[in-house]
Amino acid sequence: MSYMAWGSIRCFGEAVRWLLFGQIAVADFAGNSRHKLEPFSSPVGVVPMDTQEAPVSRSGQCLCGGVRYQLEAEPLSFMFCHCRDCQTVSGGGPAAIVMLPKPAFRLLQGTLKTYSKRSDRGNMAHRRFCAECGSQILSELDARPRFVFIKAGTLDDPASLTPRANLWIRSAQPWSAMDRTLKQFETEP
C-alpha cells in the first residue's frame, strides 16, 4: 500500500511526519482516527523522527531468513523500551523498536507465531516471531491498535535510523547503558 498524503505536524516542539492511509491519520497516537489531523496539531505521545521528503520502503527478515517483510512507510519513531517484558525478550537490555502505522507493514514470506501477554499497563501485548528460529519480529498492543512496533535489529539496514527516546526507564537495569541525551519517559508517552 502506498501513502495517499503526507506532511508534518508539531509535537514536543519538533516537526513530525504524518501519513494518511484512507481515513487513518497515522500520527494520531491517541487512537482517535475519526478526525483528520491538521498540520501543526499535537497528537498525544509522538516521539518524532526526522522529517524527509517522502516515505521510503524498508525491508527486514528474521535470523534464518524464513520470514521477510517490507515497511511501506518511514518509521514514526525509534525508541528503546526498558520494560521488564522487553528485557526478557531481548535477553537483558532494552528492546530497540521502531513504530509505524499498521497498514505500512507487509509480510512478504513466512509465517509469524504469536505469544500474547498482559503488559505492565494492563493491556494485551501480542509478540510475533518466526516459528522456525524464534526471532522477534514485531509487537502489537491493544492499547495502540493502529500501529506495529518492529524490532529494529530485524531491519536490513537498522544503522540508518536515529533513536529518539528511552521508554520505561523506571524499569531499566542499572548495568544497562542508556543514552541520557534521548527523551526519557518513566513509563511511556
Side-chain angles (χ1 to χ4, degrees):
M1 176 182 294
S2 61
Y3 67 95
M4 294 177 62
W6 66 275
S8 65
I9 58 174
R10 292 261 178 221
C11 187
F12 298 137
E14 298 182 46
V16 178
R17 186 176 39 256
W18 61 267
L19 303 173
L20 184 63
F21 287 88
Q23 296 298 312
I24 301 173
V26 299
D28 181 5
F29 286 27
N32 181 4
S33 64
R34 296 185 189 276
H35 69 282
K36 290 183 180 178
L37 288 176
E38 297 298 325
F40 304 106
S41 66
S42 296
V44 176
V46 176
V47 180
M49 295 292 290
D50 292 326
T51 56
Q52 293 183 1
E53 288 296 310
V56 178
S57 179
R58 294 177 183 269
S59 59
Q61 68 179 21
C62 66
L63 184 62
C64 72
V67 170
R68 289 217 36 87
Y69 65 85
Q70 183 170 342
L71 308 182
E72 297 180 346
E74 278 294 297
L76 297 170
S77 188
F78 176 25
M79 308 161 281
F80 296 107
C81 182
H82 297 266
C83 78
R84 289 293 295 136
D85 288 344
C86 282
Q87 289 176 36
T88 300
V89 169
S90 74
I97 54 175
V98 289
M99 179 180 183
L100 70 146
K102 191 180 283 189
F105 177 83
R106 187 161 55 108
L107 187 64
L108 300 175
Q109 171 184 312
T111 302
L112 295 174
K113 289 190 77 170
T114 302
Y115 175 76
S116 298
K117 181 181 184 288
R118 196 158 303 282
S119 71
D120 291 341
R121 280 266 169 113
N123 298 303
M124 291 303 292
H126 310 282
R127 298 179 185 278
R128 313 229 191 264
F129 56 94
C130 173
E132 185 63 30
C133 68
S135 296
Q136 294 282 321
I137 302 296
L138 66 91
S139 295
E140 294 177 84
L141 308 174
D142 285 357
R144 300 195 189 273
R146 292 175 181 22
F147 303 97
V148 292
F149 300 86
I150 307 296
K151 301 302 185 261
T154 65
L155 288 165
D156 292 335
D157 185 18
S160 65
L161 298 172
T162 303
R164 296 294 182 199
N166 284 300
L167 310 180
W168 286 92
I169 62 169
R170 75 177 187 193
S171 303
Q173 297 303 315
W175 43 259
S176 180
M178 187 183 314
D179 184 346
R180 299 284 181 182
T181 64
L182 303 178
K183 291 186 188 308
Q184 309 291 311
F185 296 92
E186 283 293 313
T187 58
E188 58 192 56

